[in-house]
Amino acid sequence: AGTSPAELCERGSGLFRQALTQAGVAYTDFTRTSEPRHQRAVRHFWGALRDGGVLYKGSYEGWYCTPEESFLPESQLAEGTDAQGRPCKVSLETGHEVHWTKEENYMFRLSAFRDPLQNWLRDNPRAIFPDPFYQRVLRWLDEDLPDLSVSRERNRLQWGIPVPSDPTQTIYVWVDALVNYLSVVGYPEGHGAWWPAVHHVVGKDILKFHALYWPALLLAAGLEPPERILVHSHWTVRGQKMSKSLGNVVEPSVCVGQYGVDGFRYFLLRQGVPERDCDYYDEKVVKLVNSELADALGGLLNRSTAPSINPSNTYPRFSEPCFPKVLDSREARGTGRACAEDYKLVAAVASLPAQVDSYFEGFQIYKALECIAQCVRQTNGFFQRHRPWKLDRRDAAEQLWLDTILHVTLECLRVYGTLLQPVVPHMADKLLSRLAVRPGERGLSFLTFLARYDGKPCPFEGRQLGPDTGVLFHRLGK
């Protein structure tokens, strides 16, 4: 790139910050390995390893992959060709070329940590999630576990952190990088407030570094492994791995421009399944986002707050005689105007917040969004089934039923808007503002659904709705 490593990293780091800001991702800290606090933490961590007697100097040789910054065993190599078409060895996983390298480095006694790592995983079966990755790490621990080279010759790698008391060696980039998790929470003095109750979110391609090397290094330095390591798979494009050479890399900033922040976030979280690679292509985004955000959710809000159906622009009142409480939704028939399907809807939406909360906590965002989408479809069915636009407002009984239909619909929308805030923040804000849900009423604790059905007061009933916030989500063109 014709620039220094520091300048190149500065540029790359800036792109990440920019992408996070564009995607509406907030963070409490953004750390770099070039920061003084981090370098101090790394030197202290190295000292803890040295004092623990787990480092020794030894000669190391093997196949080294520069882009991955790691030595690879024969089992992870394949035959390939270099840029000039000559035969060479490449990494099985990434296709990068490897070179035979011999060095004198500091070694870490990784082999001594097989039992402690196996015990940690057996005692904490959810420490690595989803399960296929947990099983993969257990298999690795049954295989050969050679000691790990944790430094490089300084003359080959000048821009890392020098080994304390040995300026001829540079601390291995992965040891340096992993300590970021500690330096950002105040290691070596202030980390106790957070550590080890931390969750790492990592890509599957760096699982070995996070699930084998990092926990072993932590144990060696007298610290606990992280509470959980959440692992995600990759996005492919039309079934192919993204690669610069194929030219099929998806640029996030372009997608945010095309689909909006909320549209792009919704697609990735709705379709991204952590345990397996997921396929990306533009038509898929357009189809999903149009059907679930523009049509199903946006259409429902639009229809249920339209002046023609709700001329007073209020949160209508609920009528118990129209929608009497039943103990078992399967026996709901004969009384009031609600039918069995309506009681199923009420039961589904009432159980939705706990369901979504559980899936969010379990790193299964896609399942949470599937449940919400299913309930939105049911609510549209409810609205369509009872055709409130056909009811005669001049008839008192009809007016009660019309208001009840609208009350149930708006209560459903309020639940969806609240639960969708982490996923589509701008859209959720528009929806909740239209329903006159105040900022202090948007937490999970306010998510009592359809209180009037249970004979309790509803704080929203009779409230003037917020001003029209316009189209909730504009349909995307093909």
Side-chain angles (χ1 to χ4, degrees):
T3 182
S4 70
E7 287 168 333
L8 189 67
C9 290
E10 186 67 35
R11 195 189 304 166
S13 171
L15 291 172
F16 274 90
R17 281 180 182 253
Q18 195 181 323
L20 291 168
T21 304
Q22 280 182 324
V25 176
Y27 47 86
T28 49
D29 207 327
F30 187 105
T31 184
R32 299 271 310 276
T33 55
S34 52
E35 291 173 17
R37 60 171 174 170
H38 173 71
Q39 299 197 9
R40 179 171 163 265
V42 170
R43 286 192 287 270
H44 192 279
F45 190 81
W46 183 274
L49 295 176
R50 183 191 57 223
D51 296 346
V54 295
L55 299 179
Y56 64 93
K57 210 155 187 192
S59 183
Y60 194 90
E61 59 181 316
W63 294 103
Y64 190 71
C65 178
T66 303
E68 292 174 51
E69 289 288 8
S70 67
F71 282 98
L72 299 176
E74 287 280 353
S75 59
Q76 286 180 31
L77 301 177
E79 297 299 328
T81 52
D82 65 14
Q84 283 73 43
R86 294 174 302 216
C88 68
K89 288 200 180 288
V90 298
S91 162
L92 196 58
E93 179 146 350
T94 64
H96 292 135
E97 188 177 352
V98 297
H99 301 277
W100 187 260
T101 307
K102 186 173 182 178
E103 281 188 359
E104 188 175 52
N105 301 138
Y106 283 94
M107 306 294 293
F108 168 64
R109 296 187 197 280
L110 181 64
S111 52
F113 288 87
R114 185 194 303 275
D115 288 348
L117 289 173
Q118 285 177 329
N119 293 337
W120 163 59
L121 288 175
R122 294 209 172 105
D123 292 344
N124 300 280
R126 289 176 65 76
I128 299 166
F129 184 84
D131 188 62
F133 299 113
Y134 172 78
Q135 299 299 339
R136 187 181 300 176
V137 177
L138 284 179
R139 285 197 299 275
W140 282 338
L141 285 168
D142 285 333
E143 295 169 6
D144 190 29
L145 203 62
D147 286 351
L148 184 65
S149 167
V150 287
S151 72
R152 296 283 174 267
E153 288 179 357
R154 188 78 184 158
N155 58 14
R156 237 171 46 81
L157 193 65
Q158 275 134 36
W159 49 278
I161 300 172
V163 168
S165 73
D166 187 349
T168 68
Q169 295 276 316
T170 298
I171 295 173
Y172 176 39
V173 64
W174 266 103
V175 176
D176 172 351
L178 287 162
V179 176
N180 252 323
Y181 291 119
L182 286 172
S183 55
V184 81
V185 292
Y187 180 83
E189 295 89 17
H191 61 286
W194 277 95
W195 205 271
V198 293
H199 290 50
H200 296 339
V201 182
V202 305
K204 65 175 185 177
D205 53 326
I206 49 175
L207 179 61
K208 187 168 272 185
F209 295 98
H210 282 83
L212 276 190
Y213 304 159
W214 180 226
L217 289 162
L218 285 164
L219 291 168
L223 292 161
E224 294 285 313
E227 191 174 290
R228 287 193 93 186
I229 299 169
L230 302 166
V231 190
H232 62 77
S233 297
H234 293 165
W235 285 96
T236 56
V237 175
R238 297 190 182 277
Q240 285 186 301
K241 191 171 181 174
M242 278 194 223
S243 89
K244 286 178 184 166
S245 56
L246 284 174
N248 65 346
V249 174
V250 176
E251 181 59 61
S253 59
V254 173
C255 296
V256 168
Q258 277 179 315
Y259 313 123
V261 176
D262 285 346
F264 191 45
R265 284 167 65 112
Y266 185 81
F267 173 79
L268 293 176
L269 290 165
R270 174 80 168 84
Q271 293 284 304
V273 180
E275 54 261 49
R276 63 174 182 270
D277 287 354
C278 300
D279 205 35
Y280 177 94
Y281 50 94
D282 294 323
E283 298 89 335
K284 194 177 182 179
V285 186
V286 172
K287 190 176 174 186
L288 177 92
V289 170
N290 277 349
S291 78
E292 294 192 356
L293 296 188
D295 300 345
L297 194 61
L300 186 63
L301 177 69
N302 198 31
R303 294 163 81 197
S304 57
T305 56
S308 57
I309 207 161
N310 186 356
S312 63
N313 196 42
T314 54
Y315 211 99
R317 298 191 178 280
F318 180 86
S319 164
E320 283 100 335
C322 290
F323 209 129
K325 185 172 172 89
V326 294
L327 295 174
D328 186 345
S329 60
R330 286 166 298 189
E331 295 166 9
R333 60 181 69 85
T335 57
R337 300 194 55 165
C339 66
E341 285 295 306
D342 304 338
Y343 285 99
K344 280 184 197 161
L345 167 69
V346 168
V349 181
S351 65
L352 189 63
Q355 220 174 5
V356 167
D357 190 36
S358 165
Y359 283 136
F360 273 17
E361 285 297 320
F363 195 53
Q364 294 177 301
I365 313 293
Y366 70 103
K367 285 191 177 178
L369 296 183
E370 170 56 47
C371 291
I372 295 171
Q374 175 61 35
C375 283
V376 172
R377 283 194 289 273
Q378 277 180 267
T379 316
N380 271 299
F382 164 77
F383 199 81
Q384 195 64 31
R385 188 161 54 245
H386 295 301
R387 303 178 173 224
W389 59 91
K390 294 269 192 186
L391 297 172
D392 186 354
R393 205 180 295 283
R394 293 163 301 186
D395 181 323
E398 296 276 275
Q399 176 71 56
L400 281 177
W401 179 225
L402 171 63
D403 285 351
T404 302
I405 294 167
L406 294 181
H407 182 95
V408 171
T409 305
L410 297 192
E411 278 289 273
C412 290
L413 282 166
R414 182 172 66 85
V415 170
Y416 309 147
T418 304
L419 294 175
L420 284 168
Q421 287 174 109
V423 179
V424 284
H426 307 98
M427 209 175 120
D429 175 55
K430 271 176 90 168
L431 192 160
L432 295 171
S433 298
R434 181 71 176 105
L435 300 183
V437 181
R438 299 172 191 132
E441 299 171 327
R442 297 181 179 188
L444 284 178
S445 56
F446 268 87
L447 224 42
T448 307
F449 168 65
L450 210 59
R452 294 278 272 106
Y453 178 72
D454 291 310
K456 295 171 187 158
C458 169
F460 304 98
E461 194 173 59
R463 187 184 288 188
Q464 194 69 27
L465 292 180
D468 188 351
T469 48
V471 175
L472 189 63
F473 190 90
H474 287 276
R475 277 183 67 83
L476 300 171
K478 284 199 173 67

